[in-house]
Structures are given as C-alpha cells and as structure tokens.
Amino acid sequence: MNHVLRQWWKPWILACLAMNPVHAGDFDAVADRVERTPVLRGTFMQEKAVEGFRNPLRSTGRFIVAADRGVLWETVSPFPSQIVVSQDRIASRQADGSLRVEAEASRQPGLAAINTTFFALISGDFDALEARFEGKVTVRPDGRWQLALTPKPGPLVRALSALHVEGARFVEQVTLDDAQGDHTHIEFADFVVEPHALTEDEAARFD
C-alpha cells in the first residue's frame, strides 16, 4: 500500500439505554436520522496515533462529498494536499493542477471496499455500512446515535479491526483502529448542503 493510500486511510443515548446487536432495523433507525444530500461540504480535524510517535499526528482541512463523484479531501494544515477518492481509485492533486492516480481498485484488491466504506461514512450511507460491518448501535431520544462496528469477513479485515461512528443530522465523529495497530480519530463540522449541486469550480477539482 503506497504512502498516499496509507495517509488517507489512517488519515465519521442515555446511560440507561443498553448496547444491542445491530439488526437491519437498527441501521434503518440511524439512517432515518441522517440527512442525505447530493452534495455535502464541511471541515475536518484528524488525529492519528501512530506506533513510534509519542504525540498524535494532527491535520485539519475541508471536504466535499458529491453523491455522483466521490470525496474531495483537502488538507490545509500542517501541509497542504488534496486527494480525490472515488469508488475505483485514489488520486492526488499535483503542483501543476493535474491529478495523479495513486491507487486503482482494478490493481489493488480491497481498495474498492475501502473507498466505498470511506464514502459511506461521510455521506451516511448505512446500507453500504450494513453490508460490510457487524456491531452494536445506540440511539438516543434526542436523535444522537453511535455505532460500534467490526468488519465482516472480506477485504476490510486486512485494513480495519474496529470502527466507531457517531453523529446526529450528519456523521460527526469517526474513530478507526486499523489492522496495523494505529488509531485514527476524525471530527467533522461546519456542514453546508447548499448549493445542492457542485459549483463549476468544485466540479473541476474532481477532474
């Protein structure tokens, strides 16, 4: 797995309510609380605890999720970078503005599953999550919810050991424990859903 893929991937209740095994209806209960929109924009803060480093590696930036295009992941700090994630590839923006393909699903088994999971996490596609994970769900009366998931047998097992997701109207926090022992926590905020279509500038950044 190359360094860009690793960077992206490592780089989304009341006390009396018990945690119960997830059934289809439970995923539906969470999905009913999450707003689905053609385009979702926001900011992120990511902390990665990597073996061999005393302090977590922190990065911040912006994202755009387009239901028909994928995810634009733009890191602002500590170093500017831009990655475009679609169902079948991961590409990075170069200094001249061009996109360089870093990984393709056709050449790396399991990449499609990872990309689909990442897209599902940010966009709140719980049908896609249910197809790939088992676990527990907690739903609060105030509309907030939490999912504690483990991957079903398949390609994701080689990348992830555990996944925790929580939010309300949108997915707000994602915590990933990967198969190499690293820990990543991502917080999403400043959500914007309008305009409902990509602007001309945003669409160009996916190409």
Side-chain angles (χ1 to χ4, degrees):
M1 185 179 295
N2 66 40
H3 72 283
V4 172
L5 179 55
R6 290 181 64 86
Q7 178 188 37
W8 161 73
W9 180 243
K10 291 186 174 179
W12 353 296
I13 192 174
L14 301 175
C16 63
L17 294 178
M19 299 286 281
N20 296 304
V22 171
H23 303 291
D26 295 319
F27 271 104
D28 290 344
V30 173
D32 289 343
R33 289 165 166 78
V34 176
E35 180 176 339
R36 302 297 297 276
T37 179
V39 180
L40 177 64
R41 307 161 180 87
T43 61
F44 70 86
M45 187 282 293
Q46 176 176 283
E47 287 189 342
K48 298 189 293 185
V50 181
E51 187 175 355
F53 289 81
R54 176 177 297 180
N55 298 317
L57 306 177
R58 181 172 180 173
S59 60
T60 60
R62 299 178 289 266
F63 70 88
I64 301 173
V65 180
D68 61 345
R69 301 293 297 275
V71 180
L72 177 67
W73 191 259
E74 182 180 8
T75 300
V76 175
S77 174
F79 305 106
S81 67
Q82 190 176 114
I83 295 175
V84 178
V85 182
S86 65
Q87 297 286 355
D88 58 0
R89 71 176 188 173
I90 294 175
S92 62
R93 182 74 62 186
Q94 304 302 297
D96 63 0
S98 64
L99 278 179
R100 182 177 70 190
V101 175
E102 303 290 349
E104 293 182 286
S106 60
R107 297 185 178 182
Q108 296 195 25
L111 179 61
I114 292 174
N115 286 6
T116 298
T117 299
F118 180 59
F119 185 80
L121 285 172
I122 300 181
S123 63
D125 185 350
F126 293 96
D127 288 339
L129 291 179
E130 182 183 3
R132 291 172 170 81
F133 292 90
E134 297 176 341
K136 298 179 179 180
V137 63
T138 301
V139 179
R140 297 180 182 176
D142 65 2
R144 295 196 62 79
W145 48 266
Q146 296 176 330
L147 297 174
L149 307 174
T150 55
K152 294 178 180 179
L156 283 176
V157 173
R158 293 190 292 273
L160 277 177
S161 60
L163 176 65
H164 299 267
V165 190
E166 63 180 270
R169 181 185 172 199
F170 301 106
V171 173
E172 297 174 1
Q173 297 187 47
V174 175
T175 302
L176 308 95
D177 295 322
D178 71 23
Q180 288 73 43
D182 295 343
H183 177 86
T184 301
H185 178 74
I186 309 173
E187 295 183 2
F188 301 102
D190 305 317
F191 301 104
V192 177
V193 300
E194 295 182 352
H196 294 301
L198 291 172
T199 66
E200 183 176 342
D201 176 68
E202 290 172 341
R205 296 166 71 189
F206 280 89
D207 295 329

